Amino acid sequence: MAMEQIDTLVIGAGQGGVATSEHLRAAGIDHVVVERGRIAERWRSERWDSLKANGPAWHDRFPGMAFSCDGEDFPDKESVARYFEDYALIIDAPVRTGVTVEAVTPHPGRAGFHVRTSRGEFDAHNVVCATGPFQKPAIPSIVPDTAEVTQMHSTAYRNPQALPEGAVLIVGGGSSGSQIAAELHDAGREVYFSIGPHDRPPRRYRGRDNVWWLGVLGIWNMDTPAPGTEHVTIAVSGAHGGKTVDFRRLAEQGITLLGMTSGYEDGVLHIADDLKTNIDAGDANYLSLLEAADAYVRRTGIDLPPEPEAWQIPADPTCVTDPVRSLNLTERGIGTIIWATGFRFDYSWLHADTLDESGRPIHQRGVSKVPGLYFVGLPWQSRRGSSFIWGVWHDAKFIVDQIAIQQNYQDYHQSKA
């Protein structure tokens, strides 16, 4: 099979790849988007059945098309996947599905890249890595595979009926862990929920969704995370119409809250003495946003009704005041551990000098130090909102602008040659 010549190859047909394709087509740049599965594959096959998006439909979308549901609704995973599939059709994105990228290697001594895939080879002048931030599930090496308990990452969880019988331990108090814990409890499972440090914004306040407040307060456009906050877990959910995650109320309903898992030995899981610290810090984050919102109302005079009940923090439940410090999995009847512990980057196929020691891309707003190599969809790529649907669209436009600028330089050089 002959090597295919292409100006720009985009890797990944999720939100980043589809957005990049839209801007490349608008700029008149010849390109191909390759995707190992289907368009928006991770939304389809690596999320649980009842997943709801964490932002309302009016906000988490591209400018060119609204979701078919009401703007205040939180789309389910199939609706999100269809959204990107439909969007790709509308913009006539040149997506080739079922193509796995095996290696991307810069050409020695000349511009461009040799790209080897499962369906042939490309000679690409530019490569845009749009594989996003959720690449390889991260499971801490705490409980060995030999332990008599089923272990899975949240990407493998589908529904309560698919799990073995028994109680369930969920590790990780972010959006995924919170939604899954509530679903399992509602299904009648006994649930243990291990929570680490987190931010806990209100879902809504004074009649406006959290994403609206982040916008008017300028938080979405923060371009640099505070020290140590780049990977902060966010406990926010769009489930059941969108409700504020309140760990104390989950405990009141019967879920046993735990501190961070710190070790394992002979069937016993050791729990750190940090549950109240983590809960209190989450409360402080929650209250700080309420305070900032109230200050905005006073400053602007906008007519939004006060919500004094939102400031009420319930009393600590027993599992917080008298925390569990060790958990015998067998005695507690725990048959499954679900690790909702995030993801790692996986650029094992990228053979270019643009990754740090931990495998994270080295870049400035998605522009790597290797000419012609770009990234789209990274957390904090240009701002806090970069890894969200709307933020990806704007970052993709910036990247395509850089590609077009470089193309203009090259065209000028060739005209003078």
Side-chain angles (χ1 to χ4, degrees):
M1 184 181 296
M3 185 177 298
E4 185 173 351
Q5 305 286 326
I6 192 72
D7 185 282
T8 300
L9 183 73
V10 181
I11 302 172
Q15 58 199 42
V18 173
T20 303
S21 181
E22 178 179 7
H23 296 302
L24 286 168
R25 184 170 290 283
I29 297 174
D30 183 35
H31 68 285
V32 168
V33 183
V34 294
E35 164 60 47
R36 63 184 175 87
R38 297 163 292 177
I39 292 173
E41 182 63 44
R42 286 197 169 99
W43 281 96
R44 300 174 188 273
S45 60
E46 297 184 17
R47 302 294 182 265
W48 63 96
D49 295 346
S50 65
L51 171 68
K52 295 286 188 176
N54 285 330
W58 68 263
H59 181 264
D60 283 0
R61 66 180 183 90
F62 291 163
M65 188 174 82
F67 275 90
S68 58
C69 62
D70 185 273
E72 295 296 333
D73 289 347
F74 296 85
D76 60 31
K77 70 168 190 173
E78 294 300 331
S79 297
V80 176
R82 284 196 302 271
Y83 177 90
F84 291 121
E85 191 170 52
D86 292 344
Y87 203 96
L89 286 173
I90 289 172
I91 66 173
D92 194 22
V95 178
R96 300 182 190 177
T97 57
V99 180
T100 300
V101 172
E102 298 170 348
V104 174
T105 308
H107 291 310
R110 67 179 178 93
F113 303 85
H114 174 228
V115 182
R116 188 179 78 246
T117 80
S118 59
R119 302 288 293 274
E121 299 181 350
F122 292 88
D123 184 345
H125 192 72
N126 303 294
V127 170
V128 180
C129 304
T131 50
F134 308 125
Q135 296 174 15
K136 188 175 183 179
I139 298 180
S141 56
I142 295 176
V143 181
D145 294 337
T146 55
E148 294 183 0
V149 62
T150 298
Q151 298 187 66
M152 66 179 65
H153 191 266
S154 57
T155 54
Y157 170 74
R158 291 296 171 266
N159 54 64
Q161 296 73 34
L163 296 183
E165 293 184 1
V168 182
L169 167 64
I170 298 165
V171 182
S175 299
S176 297
S178 300
Q179 284 195 42
I180 293 171
E183 175 173 275
L184 288 169
H185 176 265
D186 290 345
R189 294 296 186 109
E190 185 175 3
V191 176
Y192 296 85
F193 194 9
S194 174
I195 298 166
H198 60 273
D199 280 355
R200 189 176 72 84
R203 176 72 270 174
R204 294 185 183 89
Y205 181 57
R206 299 186 73 152
R208 294 290 185 270
D209 192 87
N210 166 60
V211 299
W212 187 86
W213 285 114
L214 294 179
V216 299
L217 295 173
I219 297 174
W220 278 129
N221 284 326
M222 291 172 57
D223 59 5
T224 306
T229 66
E230 183 177 356
H231 304 293
V232 168
T233 296
I234 309 294
V236 64
S237 172
H240 305 293
K243 294 182 179 180
T244 299
V245 174
D246 189 331
F247 294 116
R248 289 183 177 84
R249 298 201 188 280
L250 291 178
E252 290 173 0
Q253 295 166 12
I255 292 176
T256 301
L257 305 180
L258 308 169
M260 290 188 69
T261 52
S262 60
Y264 174 86
E265 186 178 6
D266 297 331
V268 177
L269 197 67
H270 303 295
I271 310 298
D273 188 19
D274 61 357
L275 177 58
K276 181 167 176 55
T277 299
N278 297 335
I279 294 288
D280 287 348
D283 292 342
N285 170 259
Y286 166 85
L287 294 171
S288 70
L289 197 141
L290 300 189
E291 184 176 356
D294 284 352
Y296 177 86
V297 171
R298 290 193 299 270
R299 185 171 65 252
T300 63
I302 189 171
D303 185 18
L304 294 178
E307 193 176 339
E309 63 272 18
W311 288 82
Q312 298 172 8
I313 302 295
D316 288 337
T318 302
C319 61
V320 174
T321 58
D322 185 19
V324 174
R325 295 298 310 283
S326 64
L327 201 68
N328 187 303
L329 301 182
T330 300
E331 291 179 359
R332 300 275 183 164
I334 295 173
T336 306
I337 300 177
I338 298 176
W339 298 94
T341 43
F343 299 82
R344 295 193 300 269
F345 288 110
D346 181 8
Y347 291 106
S348 55
W349 43 267
L350 181 56
H351 305 155
D353 184 22
T354 189
L355 304 175
D356 65 16
E357 307 79 30
S358 64
R360 296 176 58 83
I362 301 170
H363 68 98
Q364 285 289 333
R365 292 192 65 180
V367 180
S368 85
K369 63 179 184 177
V370 176
L373 181 63
Y374 305 90
F375 297 90
V376 168
L378 300 176
W380 290 94
Q381 180 159 316
S382 68
R383 69 191 88 185
R384 176 170 175 164
S386 284
S387 55
F388 292 79
I389 293 173
W390 66 271
V392 164
W393 191 91
H394 290 283
D395 283 348
K397 185 178 188 307
F398 174 81
I399 290 301
V400 172
D401 287 346
Q402 307 316 302
I403 293 173
I405 289 169
Q406 291 303 314
Q407 189 176 72
N408 289 338
Y409 284 137
Q410 290 152 11
D411 291 345
Y412 177 80
H413 173 72
Q414 291 172 359
S415 70
K416 295 297 183 180

mmCIF file of all heavy atoms in Angstrom, residues 85-117:
data_model
loop_
_atom_site.group_PDB
_atom_site.id
_atom_site.type_symbol
_atom_site.label_atom_id
_atom_site.label_comp_id
_atom_site.label_asym_id
_atom_site.label_seq_id
_atom_site.Cartn_x
_atom_site.Cartn_y
_atom_site.Cartn_z
ATOM 1 N N GLU A 85 -21.339 12.828 16.362
ATOM 2 C CA GLU A 85 -21.514 12.120 15.099
ATOM 3 C C GLU A 85 -22.291 12.990 14.113
ATOM 4 O O GLU A 85 -21.906 13.127 12.937
ATOM 5 C CB GLU A 85 -22.254 10.813 15.351
ATOM 6 C CG GLU A 85 -22.262 9.870 14.162
ATOM 7 C CD GLU A 85 -22.789 8.502 14.545
ATOM 8 O OE1 GLU A 85 -23.883 8.444 15.138
ATOM 9 O OE2 GLU A 85 -22.113 7.506 14.258
ATOM 10 N N ASP A 86 -23.369 13.599 14.591
ATOM 11 C CA ASP A 86 -24.154 14.488 13.731
ATOM 12 C C ASP A 86 -23.352 15.714 13.319
ATOM 13 O O ASP A 86 -23.438 16.171 12.168
ATOM 14 C CB ASP A 86 -25.435 14.927 14.454
ATOM 15 C CG ASP A 86 -26.417 13.783 14.659
ATOM 16 O OD1 ASP A 86 -26.256 12.740 14.002
ATOM 17 O OD2 ASP A 86 -27.326 13.941 15.505
ATOM 18 N N TYR A 87 -22.578 16.241 14.233
ATOM 19 C CA TYR A 87 -21.780 17.427 13.938
ATOM 20 C C TYR A 87 -20.752 17.117 12.851
ATOM 21 O O TYR A 87 -20.542 17.910 11.927
ATOM 22 C CB TYR A 87 -21.077 17.920 15.203
ATOM 23 C CG TYR A 87 -20.701 19.378 15.165
ATOM 24 C CD1 TYR A 87 -21.533 20.339 15.733
ATOM 25 C CD2 TYR A 87 -19.523 19.806 14.566
ATOM 26 C CE1 TYR A 87 -21.202 21.687 15.702
ATOM 27 C CE2 TYR A 87 -19.183 21.150 14.519
ATOM 28 C CZ TYR A 87 -20.022 22.089 15.090
ATOM 29 O OH TYR A 87 -19.695 23.419 15.051
ATOM 30 N N ALA A 88 -20.117 15.941 12.967
ATOM 31 C CA ALA A 88 -19.136 15.538 11.958
ATOM 32 C C ALA A 88 -19.780 15.432 10.579
ATOM 33 O O ALA A 88 -19.163 15.796 9.556
ATOM 34 C CB ALA A 88 -18.491 14.214 12.356
ATOM 35 N N LEU A 89 -21.025 14.955 10.518
ATOM 36 C CA LEU A 89 -21.737 14.876 9.242
ATOM 37 C C LEU A 89 -22.031 16.263 8.691
ATOM 38 O O LEU A 89 -21.860 16.531 7.491
ATOM 39 C CB LEU A 89 -23.038 14.096 9.424
ATOM 40 C CG LEU A 89 -22.924 12.578 9.586
ATOM 41 C CD1 LEU A 89 -24.279 11.980 9.937
ATOM 42 C CD2 LEU A 89 -22.362 11.941 8.320
ATOM 43 N N ILE A 90 -22.465 17.164 9.563
ATOM 44 C CA ILE A 90 -22.833 18.512 9.129
ATOM 45 C C ILE A 90 -21.638 19.242 8.533
ATOM 46 O O ILE A 90 -21.755 19.930 7.508
ATOM 47 C CB ILE A 90 -23.435 19.304 10.307
ATOM 48 C CG1 ILE A 90 -24.828 18.767 10.652
ATOM 49 C CG2 ILE A 90 -23.522 20.795 9.977
ATOM 50 C CD1 ILE A 90 -25.407 19.350 11.914
ATOM 51 N N ILE A 91 -20.469 19.099 9.153
ATOM 52 C CA ILE A 91 -19.281 19.808 8.660
ATOM 53 C C ILE A 91 -18.520 18.986 7.621
ATOM 54 O O ILE A 91 -17.474 19.419 7.132
ATOM 55 C CB ILE A 91 -18.335 20.199 9.815
ATOM 56 C CG1 ILE A 91 -17.737 18.948 10.475
ATOM 57 C CG2 ILE A 91 -19.048 21.090 10.829
ATOM 58 C CD1 ILE A 91 -16.662 19.254 11.504
ATOM 59 N N ASP A 92 -19.042 17.793 7.311
ATOM 60 C CA ASP A 92 -18.415 16.902 6.338
ATOM 61 C C ASP A 92 -16.964 16.601 6.735
ATOM 62 O O ASP A 92 -16.032 16.698 5.921
ATOM 63 C CB ASP A 92 -18.468 17.516 4.936
ATOM 64 C CG ASP A 92 -18.152 16.501 3.842
ATOM 65 O OD1 ASP A 92 -18.306 15.286 4.100
ATOM 66 O OD2 ASP A 92 -17.718 16.923 2.753
ATOM 67 N N ALA A 93 -16.794 16.249 7.994
ATOM 68 C CA ALA A 93 -15.448 15.944 8.492
ATOM 69 C C ALA A 93 -14.920 14.663 7.842
ATOM 70 O O ALA A 93 -15.616 13.648 7.813
ATOM 71 C CB ALA A 93 -15.477 15.777 10.012
ATOM 72 N N PRO A 94 -13.698 14.668 7.330
ATOM 73 C CA PRO A 94 -13.122 13.491 6.674
ATOM 74 C C PRO A 94 -12.603 12.485 7.703
ATOM 75 O O PRO A 94 -11.393 12.293 7.876
ATOM 76 C CB PRO A 94 -11.995 14.075 5.832
ATOM 77 C CG PRO A 94 -11.560 15.296 6.584
ATOM 78 C CD PRO A 94 -12.805 15.834 7.242
ATOM 79 N N VAL A 95 -13.532 11.839 8.411
ATOM 80 C CA VAL A 95 -13.175 10.917 9.491
ATOM 81 C C VAL A 95 -13.072 9.499 8.934
ATOM 82 O O VAL A 95 -13.957 9.043 8.204
ATOM 83 C CB VAL A 95 -14.224 10.954 10.618
ATOM 84 C CG1 VAL A 95 -13.859 9.951 11.713
ATOM 85 C CG2 VAL A 95 -14.338 12.360 11.203
ATOM 86 N N ARG A 96 -12.004 8.816 9.308
ATOM 87 C CA ARG A 96 -11.841 7.402 8.972
ATOM 88 C C ARG A 96 -11.841 6.620 10.284
ATOM 89 O O ARG A 96 -10.918 6.752 11.098
ATOM 90 C CB ARG A 96 -10.545 7.162 8.210
ATOM 91 C CG ARG A 96 -10.457 7.930 6.895
ATOM 92 C CD ARG A 96 -9.182 7.636 6.142
ATOM 93 N NE ARG A 96 -8.999 8.538 5.016
ATOM 94 C CZ ARG A 96 -7.937 8.537 4.209
ATOM 95 N NH1 ARG A 96 -6.964 7.635 4.413
ATOM 96 N NH2 ARG A 96 -7.843 9.405 3.221
ATOM 97 N N THR A 97 -12.882 5.848 10.495
ATOM 98 C CA THR A 97 -13.013 5.089 11.735
ATOM 99 C C THR A 97 -12.346 3.728 11.602
ATOM 100 O O THR A 97 -12.055 3.254 10.504
ATOM 101 C CB THR A 97 -14.493 4.925 12.098
ATOM 102 O OG1 THR A 97 -15.174 4.278 11.014
ATOM 103 C CG2 THR A 97 -15.144 6.270 12.362
ATOM 104 N N GLY A 98 -12.103 3.107 12.772
ATOM 105 C CA GLY A 98 -11.461 1.801 12.783
ATOM 106 C C GLY A 98 -9.993 1.840 12.407
ATOM 107 O O GLY A 98 -9.439 0.843 11.935
ATOM 108 N N VAL A 99 -9.356 2.981 12.626
ATOM 109 C CA VAL A 99 -7.940 3.152 12.283
ATOM 110 C C VAL A 99 -7.160 3.429 13.562
ATOM 111 O O VAL A 99 -7.364 4.463 14.211
ATOM 112 C CB VAL A 99 -7.730 4.308 11.280
ATOM 113 C CG1 VAL A 99 -6.245 4.457 10.947
ATOM 114 C CG2 VAL A 99 -8.549 4.090 10.015
ATOM 115 N N THR A 100 -6.284 2.534 13.930
ATOM 116 C CA THR A 100 -5.450 2.701 15.124
ATOM 117 C C THR A 100 -4.086 3.236 14.731
ATOM 118 O O THR A 100 -3.409 2.668 13.871
ATOM 119 C CB THR A 100 -5.272 1.363 15.855
ATOM 120 O OG1 THR A 100 -6.557 0.876 16.251
ATOM 121 C CG2 THR A 100 -4.392 1.532 17.093
ATOM 122 N N VAL A 101 -3.680 4.341 15.362
ATOM 123 C CA VAL A 101 -2.348 4.892 15.120
ATOM 124 C C VAL A 101 -1.329 4.086 15.908
ATOM 125 O O VAL A 101 -1.448 3.937 17.127
ATOM 126 C CB VAL A 101 -2.293 6.379 15.508
ATOM 127 C CG1 VAL A 101 -0.855 6.898 15.429
ATOM 128 C CG2 VAL A 101 -3.205 7.191 14.588
ATOM 129 N N GLU A 102 -0.332 3.570 15.222
ATOM 130 C CA GLU A 102 0.681 2.724 15.850
ATOM 131 C C GLU A 102 1.975 3.466 16.132
ATOM 132 O O GLU A 102 2.669 3.144 17.103
ATOM 133 C CB GLU A 102 0.953 1.518 14.948
ATOM 134 C CG GLU A 102 -0.296 0.640 14.747
ATOM 135 C CD GLU A 102 -0.118 -0.416 13.684
ATOM 136 O OE1 GLU A 102 0.890 -0.333 12.921
ATOM 137 O OE2 GLU A 102 -0.953 -1.333 13.596
ATOM 138 N N ALA A 103 2.313 4.465 15.305
ATOM 139 C CA ALA A 103 3.554 5.218 15.528
ATOM 140 C C ALA A 103 3.502 6.527 14.763
ATOM 141 O O ALA A 103 3.050 6.571 13.614
ATOM 142 C CB ALA A 103 4.770 4.407 15.097
ATOM 143 N N VAL A 104 3.944 7.599 15.432
ATOM 144 C CA VAL A 104 4.146 8.903 14.796
ATOM 145 C C VAL A 104 5.604 9.278 15.012
ATOM 146 O O VAL A 104 6.049 9.417 16.162
ATOM 147 C CB VAL A 104 3.213 9.973 15.391
ATOM 148 C CG1 VAL A 104 3.549 11.350 14.811
ATOM 149 C CG2 VAL A 104 1.760 9.626 15.150
ATOM 150 N N THR A 105 6.336 9.459 13.921
ATOM 151 C CA THR A 105 7.777 9.713 14.008
ATOM 152 C C THR A 105 8.150 10.883 13.114
ATOM 153 O O THR A 105 7.824 10.873 11.919
ATOM 154 C CB THR A 105 8.577 8.472 13.567
ATOM 155 O OG1 THR A 105 8.108 7.326 14.282
ATOM 156 C CG2 THR A 105 10.061 8.664 13.829
ATOM 157 N N PRO A 106 8.813 11.915 13.647
ATOM 158 C CA PRO A 106 9.262 13.021 12.793
ATOM 159 C C PRO A 106 10.236 12.521 11.730
ATOM 160 O O PRO A 106 11.060 11.647 11.989
ATOM 161 C CB PRO A 106 9.961 13.970 13.774
ATOM 162 C CG PRO A 106 9.415 13.624 15.117
ATOM 163 C CD PRO A 106 9.158 12.148 15.073
ATOM 164 N N HIS A 107 10.121 13.075 10.530
ATOM 165 C CA HIS A 107 11.074 12.733 9.481
ATOM 166 C C HIS A 107 12.456 13.255 9.860
ATOM 167 O O HIS A 107 12.583 14.413 10.273
ATOM 168 C CB HIS A 107 10.665 13.357 8.149
ATOM 169 C CG HIS A 107 9.433 12.763 7.552
ATOM 170 N ND1 HIS A 107 9.247 11.417 7.403
ATOM 171 C CD2 HIS A 107 8.307 13.366 7.055
ATOM 172 C CE1 HIS A 107 8.080 11.189 6.833
ATOM 173 N NE2 HIS A 107 7.479 12.349 6.620
ATOM 174 N N PRO A 108 13.496 12.478 9.727
ATOM 175 C CA PRO A 108 14.842 12.996 9.990
ATOM 176 C C PRO A 108 15.303 13.907 8.852
ATOM 177 O O PRO A 108 15.207 13.545 7.683
ATOM 178 C CB PRO A 108 15.701 11.721 10.050
ATOM 179 C CG PRO A 108 14.946 10.708 9.247
ATOM 180 C CD PRO A 108 13.494 11.041 9.409
ATOM 181 N N GLY A 109 15.710 15.103 9.199
ATOM 182 C CA GLY A 109 16.294 15.998 8.205
ATOM 183 C C GLY A 109 15.306 16.756 7.345
ATOM 184 O O GLY A 109 15.713 17.495 6.444
ATOM 185 N N ARG A 110 14.010 16.592 7.580
ATOM 186 C CA ARG A 110 13.027 17.372 6.827
ATOM 187 C C ARG A 110 11.741 17.494 7.637
ATOM 188 O O ARG A 110 11.547 16.778 8.630
ATOM 189 C CB ARG A 110 12.741 16.747 5.463
ATOM 190 C CG ARG A 110 12.029 15.410 5.498
ATOM 191 C CD ARG A 110 11.792 14.905 4.067
ATOM 192 N NE ARG A 110 11.146 13.608 4.018
ATOM 193 C CZ ARG A 110 9.831 13.426 3.934
ATOM 194 N NH1 ARG A 110 9.015 14.469 3.935
ATOM 195 N NH2 ARG A 110 9.319 12.193 3.860
ATOM 196 N N ALA A 111 10.896 18.403 7.208
ATOM 197 C CA ALA A 111 9.655 18.660 7.935
ATOM 198 C C ALA A 111 8.686 17.495 7.770
ATOM 199 O O ALA A 111 8.751 16.730 6.806
ATOM 200 C CB ALA A 111 9.020 19.951 7.442
ATOM 201 N N GLY A 112 7.774 17.376 8.716
ATOM 202 C CA GLY A 112 6.705 16.408 8.603
ATOM 203 C C GLY A 112 6.930 15.145 9.412
ATOM 204 O O GLY A 112 7.930 15.003 10.135
ATOM 205 N N PHE A 113 5.994 14.203 9.246
ATOM 206 C CA PHE A 113 5.964 13.014 10.098
ATOM 207 C C PHE A 113 5.594 11.779 9.278
ATOM 208 O O PHE A 113 4.782 11.847 8.351
ATOM 209 C CB PHE A 113 4.926 13.186 11.215
ATOM 210 C CG PHE A 113 5.162 14.405 12.062
ATOM 211 C CD1 PHE A 113 4.672 15.648 11.664
ATOM 212 C CD2 PHE A 113 5.883 14.322 13.236
ATOM 213 C CE1 PHE A 113 4.890 16.778 12.427
ATOM 214 C CE2 PHE A 113 6.104 15.448 14.016
ATOM 215 C CZ PHE A 113 5.611 16.679 13.610
ATOM 216 N N HIS A 114 6.197 10.682 9.679
ATOM 217 C CA HIS A 114 5.773 9.383 9.171
ATOM 218 C C HIS A 114 4.790 8.814 10.196
ATOM 219 O O HIS A 114 5.124 8.677 11.375
ATOM 220 C CB HIS A 114 6.969 8.449 9.001
ATOM 221 C CG HIS A 114 6.579 7.059 8.630
ATOM 222 N ND1 HIS A 114 7.078 5.948 9.266
ATOM 223 C CD2 HIS A 114 5.706 6.592 7.696
ATOM 224 C CE1 HIS A 114 6.554 4.851 8.737
ATOM 225 N NE2 HIS A 114 5.723 5.218 7.783
ATOM 226 N N VAL A 115 3.579 8.510 9.748
ATOM 227 C CA VAL A 115 2.550 7.989 10.637
ATOM 228 C C VAL A 115 2.164 6.587 10.167
ATOM 229 O O VAL A 115 1.701 6.415 9.035
ATOM 230 C CB VAL A 115 1.307 8.892 10.647
ATOM 231 C CG1 VAL A 115 0.266 8.343 11.621
ATOM 232 C CG2 VAL A 115 1.685 10.322 11.033
ATOM 233 N N ARG A 116 2.381 5.623 11.032
ATOM 234 C CA ARG A 116 2.003 4.235 10.718
ATOM 235 C C ARG A 116 0.705 3.907 11.446
ATOM 236 O O ARG A 116 0.586 4.126 12.650
ATOM 237 C CB ARG A 116 3.109 3.275 11.157
ATOM 238 C CG ARG A 116 2.872 1.826 10.681
ATOM 239 C CD ARG A 116 3.976 0.884 11.105
ATOM 240 N NE ARG A 116 3.851 0.501 12.516
ATOM 241 C CZ ARG A 116 4.713 0.829 13.467
ATOM 242 N NH1 ARG A 116 5.772 1.572 13.169
ATOM 243 N NH2 ARG A 116 4.519 0.429 14.705
ATOM 244 N N THR A 117 -0.257 3.379 10.718
ATOM 245 C CA THR A 117 -1.537 3.016 11.306
ATOM 246 C C THR A 117 -1.873 1.577 10.938
ATOM 247 O O THR A 117 -1.207 0.950 10.115
ATOM 248 C CB THR A 117 -2.680 3.933 10.819
ATOM 249 O OG1 THR A 117 -3.121 3.521 9.527
ATOM 250 C CG2 THR A 117 -2.244 5.396 10.771
#
